[in-house]
Amino acid sequence: WNEALKRPIAPVMTTNPNPPVHEVVHMGEEVRKSGLDMFPIPISTPGFDVAPTITCVNWVTKDVETGIPNVGNYRAMVKAPDKLGILVVPAQHVGIHWSKQREKGGPLEAAIIIGGPPAVQMTAVAKVPYGINEYAVAGALLGRPIELARCKTVDLEVPAEAEIILEGEITTTEKEPEAPFGEFTGFIGERSLQPFFKIKCITHRKQPIFQVYISQFPPSESSKIRGIANEAVYYGILKNECNVPFLKEVLFHETAGGQNLVVLKLKRRLLADPWQALRLASSLDTGFGKIFIAVDEDIDAGDLDAVMWAMAFRAQPHRDVEIIQRRVAHLDPSTASPEAPLEEQIYPGMTGASAILI
């Protein structure tokens, strides 16, 4: 991961005139009548989810100004054979693309990868810095360029060897209810008004494999791969780009979904060093990380018992704790009542959500 982020490998367009992902093509009335019905889309949390939801769903969109693509994993709720709901969080990269497209006018073109190369899936759940092509990072993980094929109906590129691709547009002027859905936190992602995705074309292999993530209460496949990816991204940015050369390790603990509990191991030289690392780590994304803990290099950052021991016998709350506010919350039910508007849940009150630095 560290090497991939430092030395990305740009993708290439396939020379195959009929790549595997285009072996079968569905358009028009066929998509409208029976598009998503062709696939065994499960209900992940029976009794709670309002509809079948695609979980291993890598959304491809482009920045309307730069043309740089983003590949991100965001849930997709089945609404009709040719329509999916999507949770667009403003702080996520798809939310930035959506906001820019809404200002320009017209829908946001999008494609969904299901069963893509594992390197692409790993990159899709990582907090790769905005403006970096995830396909290039995935290529470095794989050790060779990702081969891409042009979509049939939208101006996007997708992995030529993927199992299934859904092509279409995300609305920027219309919204519909989306969710409830059992999320990786172990709580239900509440219903809110969200854009939706209209499918124009479906392409797939002759015998496609439909893939899902089992993404509920941690530990889970979702929280594991998210944690590993974020550890590498944060380590690389902090050590190589933010002047934290004394950083030894970054751990995103799976207990907190690979997102909300972050432990930094440091070789301390100055009393200011851990505070520099903690403040930088908490500022890389306004919604990732709720508890940040800095430990000395003799502590096993991956052992929560060792981390708790250090907190119990090496820290004083009045001296070694700082709370920062004006942050956003991702699917965290402790921020506001589930009945509150989505904006209030993401950014409660004037101070927003908060994080603690220890």
Side-chain angles (χ1 to χ4, degrees):
W1 256 115
N2 293 329
E3 290 300 311
L5 288 163
K6 287 189 289 185
R7 300 178 180 85
I9 299 175
V12 296
M13 297 305 299
T14 184
T15 57
N16 185 348
N18 187 31
V21 74
H22 287 163
E23 288 177 346
V24 180
V25 178
H26 306 276
M27 290 188 182
E29 193 66 17
E30 186 179 13
V31 171
R32 287 189 290 274
K33 285 188 173 181
S34 59
L36 294 173
D37 293 341
M38 293 185 286
F39 307 113
I41 305 172
I43 292 179
S44 299
T45 316
F48 295 92
D49 294 357
V50 73
T53 301
I54 309 175
T55 54
C56 183
V57 49
N58 300 161
W59 292 82
V60 183
T61 56
K62 281 184 179 178
D63 185 304
V64 70
E65 296 172 347
T66 67
I68 298 174
N70 175 71
V71 185
N73 203 83
Y74 316 104
R75 70 193 189 209
M77 167 189 162
V78 176
K79 289 173 168 281
D82 64 342
K83 184 163 70 169
L84 289 165
I86 176 176
L87 174 63
V88 176
V89 177
Q92 297 276 31
H93 293 177
V94 73
I96 297 172
H97 286 188
W98 185 84
S99 296
K100 287 187 173 186
Q101 184 67 59
R102 183 179 60 173
E103 290 178 2
K104 182 181 179 181
L108 175 65
E109 290 189 326
I112 289 175
I113 307 165
I114 300 173
V120 173
Q121 296 177 32
M122 289 289 288
T123 309
V125 301
K127 295 304 291 184
V128 175
Y130 187 81
I132 293 180
N133 189 332
E134 271 97 348
Y135 284 138
V137 177
L141 284 177
L142 188 63
R144 59 177 173 82
I146 299 292
E147 283 196 19
L148 301 179
R150 297 195 186 281
C151 288
K152 298 286 187 181
T153 60
V154 292
D155 184 23
L156 295 168
E157 296 78 38
V158 293
E161 297 184 2
E163 297 289 328
I164 302 165
I165 300 294
L166 312 178
E167 303 176 10
E169 297 173 337
I170 301 174
T171 60
T172 59
T173 58
E174 298 176 86
K175 293 184 177 182
E176 293 181 348
E178 189 271 344
F181 174 71
E183 273 290 352
F184 72 94
T185 58
F187 290 93
I188 294 296
E190 293 292 338
R191 182 174 59 184
S192 62
L193 290 175
Q194 293 290 334
F196 54 87
F197 176 66
K198 287 292 290 183
I199 302 171
K200 300 167 68 175
C201 175
I202 298 175
T203 71
H204 59 80
R205 290 171 176 260
K206 289 181 180 177
Q207 291 184 309
I209 298 171
F210 191 89
Q211 184 179 1
V212 299
Y213 288 142
I214 304 303
S215 173
Q216 306 304 328
F217 194 92
S220 72
E221 182 179 22
S222 166
S223 53
K224 172 59 71 178
I225 65 175
R226 181 189 301 104
I228 292 172
N230 288 329
E231 288 165 2
V233 170
Y234 273 61
Y235 178 88
I237 294 175
L238 291 172
K239 186 158 188 172
N240 301 322
E241 300 178 31
C242 292
N243 194 33
V244 190
F246 42 84
L247 181 67
K248 295 291 184 181
E249 196 172 7
V250 178
L251 266 294
F252 274 75
H253 280 272
E254 192 176 0
T255 300
Q259 178 171 308
N260 274 4
L261 174 56
V262 187
V263 180
L264 311 175
K265 180 191 286 193
L266 309 164
K267 180 178 181 179
R268 185 170 57 166
R269 308 163 304 142
L270 306 171
L271 289 174
D273 287 347
W275 289 112
Q276 177 193 6
L278 287 166
R279 287 167 182 153
L280 283 167
S282 66
S283 69
L284 293 182
D285 187 282
T286 56
F288 262 59
K290 184 177 182 180
I291 303 169
F292 295 86
I293 305 170
V295 298
D296 286 306
E297 57 184 328
D298 64 322
I299 298 296
D300 181 354
D303 182 350
L304 282 180
D305 282 342
V307 173
M308 291 300 106
W309 177 86
M311 288 178 58
F313 296 108
R314 288 184 173 180
Q316 282 295 321
H318 73 286
R319 181 192 66 204
D320 301 316
V321 171
E322 183 175 298
I323 294 175
I324 56 175
Q325 294 180 304
R326 297 173 178 85
R327 295 171 63 77
V328 301
H330 291 319
L331 302 169
D332 185 346
S334 70
T335 57
S337 164
E339 289 76 31
L342 179 65
E343 293 77 10
E344 177 72 12
Q345 295 181 42
I346 294 175
Y347 197 91
M350 291 297 292
T351 58
S354 60
I356 187 169
L357 315 181
I358 304 171

